[in-house]
Amino acid sequence: MSKVTTLNEFIMARQADFPGASGELSRILNDIAVASKIVSRDVRRAGLVDHILGAQGETNIQGEEQQKLDVVADQQFIRVFESGGEVCGIASEENDDFVAFTDEHAKQGKYVVLFDPLDGSSNIDVNVSIGTIFSIYKRKSTRGSLATLEDMLQPGTEQIAAGYVLYGSSTMLVYTTGKGVNGFTLDPSIGEFCLSHPNMRTPETGRLYAMNEGNIDECDQGVKDYIRFCQQVHPDTNKPYSGRYIGSLVADFHRNLIKGGIYIYPATNQSPEGKLRLLYECNPLAMIAEQAGGLATTGANRILDIQPERLHQRVPFFVGSKQMVEKAMACVEAAKSVV
Ligand code: AHM
Ligand code: MG
């Protein structure tokens, strides 16, 4: 039997890869692990809360309101970051504006974290996988001052680390610090994330495509052409690709990362910028995808190169196996030149 490596041990060992590292980033990653264990526990009890202990949004027996799980998760992550002392501010999908921590200790923090505390929240009530997505940047502002909007609006190329937690049939934490991607599975019996997927690489191509095809009539011709291509019989296997759409980005992304595939949330007539958020969803997953050998684009341009203009900015998102994303981009390009 091989030796178990816990996330904590792995993070400490990897700190040596960064000469002069002071351990602050390691502590943030540990804080994320702690918060996600708590969120994982809450997610596992979601059905009980709704159907036995009272629905979220209702008042419980002590007269307290049961809060929605995405709000609870948001508060949980904010709490660990604020008390940790390494993070001076955060921005999250749940908050209209970014939060600059006012505590003197937190103001000394070198980093900001941007995150989606519970993505795919429409799946919570129906017991389908959901996830947390996070992205870590070095602040631009001076240590000791309040975090600024400029700290938050950095292109994805500036990410120091990024990752996600998948609350699926098991809970997994996958992250990168720019030196490959590693995945850890939570062993509930010991309460530790254990290295289960070292050095993750995504297949160059795959046979799975994920898109909300209900929107197909709303999409550009290039996207229609690519989906049509996916549905054709491919000579190598004599079969079309398989459509797989959970509607939980982290779960769709994770499956494709392992098996090979493409996820597309394109611009539609209703949402001309797409649906997904650049800062909380696309940038972190784009960093993971690239680190694993995949690609992430808007259909035309690299996600990580975009200079964000707004906190909640949305972008079209094409992510997954390199050859599949390239083919989808070629369809988009070809359709443009027909017009
Ligand atoms: P959310 O952040 O409000 O949960 O929305 C993001 C989710 C993704 O997880 C998922 O891929 C997508 O929205 C599904 O959208 P749609 O229902 O339009 O297909
Ligand atoms: Mg989301």
Side-chain angles (χ1 to χ4, degrees):
M1 211 168 68
S2 56
K3 182 192 171 309
V4 172
T5 303
T6 66
L7 176 64
N8 210 334
E9 288 169 339
F10 186 87
I11 290 171
M12 289 306 156
R14 282 297 167 102
Q15 202 174 301
D17 288 352
F18 299 91
S22 54
E24 285 160 293
L25 180 61
S26 301
R27 287 198 289 279
I28 299 175
L29 291 168
N30 275 320
D31 287 345
I32 290 172
V34 169
S36 62
K37 281 183 212 173
I38 296 169
V39 172
S40 176
R41 180 203 61 196
D42 292 346
V43 167
R44 305 275 172 234
R45 296 180 74 235
L48 291 170
V49 170
D50 265 353
H51 299 289
I52 298 175
L53 307 175
Q56 283 153 358
E58 277 181 3
T59 306
N60 70 13
I61 200 151
Q62 286 93 24
E64 300 159 332
E65 192 165 303
Q66 302 273 359
Q67 284 187 304
K68 287 211 144 299
L69 210 45
D70 35 14
V71 177
V72 173
D74 190 52
Q75 290 169 349
Q76 189 57 56
F77 280 98
I78 292 178
R79 202 172 298 139
V80 294
F81 294 137
E82 190 166 22
S83 58
E86 290 81 29
V87 176
C88 62
I90 62 100
S92 98
E93 207 184 286
E94 287 296 323
N95 295 284
D96 291 341
D97 208 350
F98 69 94
V99 180
F101 297 144
T102 51
D103 177 86
E104 287 307 319
H105 186 48
K107 274 158 67 180
Q108 291 297 333
K110 201 159 70 177
Y111 296 97
V112 292
V113 185
L114 283 68
F115 61 99
D116 184 351
L118 218 46
D119 181 69
S121 40
S122 64
N123 283 321
I124 298 172
D125 296 343
V126 289
N127 208 351
V128 170
S129 302
I130 46 183
T132 297
I133 315 173
F134 61 90
S135 178
I136 303 173
Y137 295 83
K138 268 206 180 109
R139 72 187 297 176
K140 292 272 177 200
S141 53
T142 320
R143 287 177 92 162
S145 63
L146 287 173
T148 63
L149 182 60
E150 200 200 355
D151 294 331
M152 310 293 162
L153 298 184
Q154 301 189 48
T157 45
E158 297 297 310
Q159 289 173 105
I160 301 294
Y164 59 83
V165 184
L166 173 61
Y167 311 102
S169 44
S170 55
T171 296
M172 272 196 78
L173 189 151
V174 174
Y175 83 97
T176 180
T177 51
K179 291 185 186 292
V181 180
N182 291 282
F184 301 79
T185 302
L186 181 63
D187 180 341
S189 67
I190 56 169
E192 292 278 4
F193 282 105
C194 300
L195 181 63
S196 52
H197 295 63
N199 192 22
M200 295 173 84
R201 303 292 301 168
T202 195
E204 284 270 300
T205 190
R207 312 195 37 76
L208 302 176
Y209 72 100
M211 190 190 122
N212 181 346
E213 287 183 71
N215 291 332
I216 196 77
D217 286 349
E218 295 269 303
C219 299
D220 289 348
Q221 190 57 43
V223 174
K224 290 179 186 160
D225 292 345
Y226 180 68
I227 297 298
R228 195 67 212 114
F229 165 81
C230 293
Q231 294 167 339
Q232 281 165 16
V233 170
H234 295 264
D236 51 340
T237 53
N238 226 11
K239 283 197 291 201
Y241 293 167
S242 291
R244 292 281 184 276
Y245 191 67
I246 299 168
S248 244
L249 176 60
V250 175
D252 279 311
F253 176 88
H254 181 74
R255 181 204 54 235
N256 288 351
L257 183 70
I258 291 176
K259 293 195 167 183
I262 185 169
Y263 173 98
I264 303 178
Y265 209 112
T268 62
N269 295 341
Q270 307 269 345
S271 315
E273 296 184 310
K275 175 181 183 187
L276 301 175
R277 276 66 159 206
L278 174 61
L279 295 178
Y280 319 116
E281 295 165 331
C282 303
N283 268 339
L285 296 184
M287 184 177 183
I288 299 258
E290 287 196 6
Q291 284 291 318
L295 266 189
T297 75
T298 60
N301 301 308
R302 186 182 180 215
I303 291 287
L304 295 180
D305 285 336
I306 300 172
Q307 172 58 55
E309 287 164 9
R310 300 180 310 280
L311 280 179
H312 298 283
Q313 185 171 340
R314 297 169 195 264
V315 284
F317 196 38
F318 293 57
V319 66
S321 293
K322 187 166 175 286
Q323 288 175 19
M324 297 178 88
V325 176
E326 281 169 351
K327 173 72 184 171
M329 291 172 75
C331 288
V332 170
E333 186 59 32
K336 264 192 220 149
S337 51
V338 171
V339 182

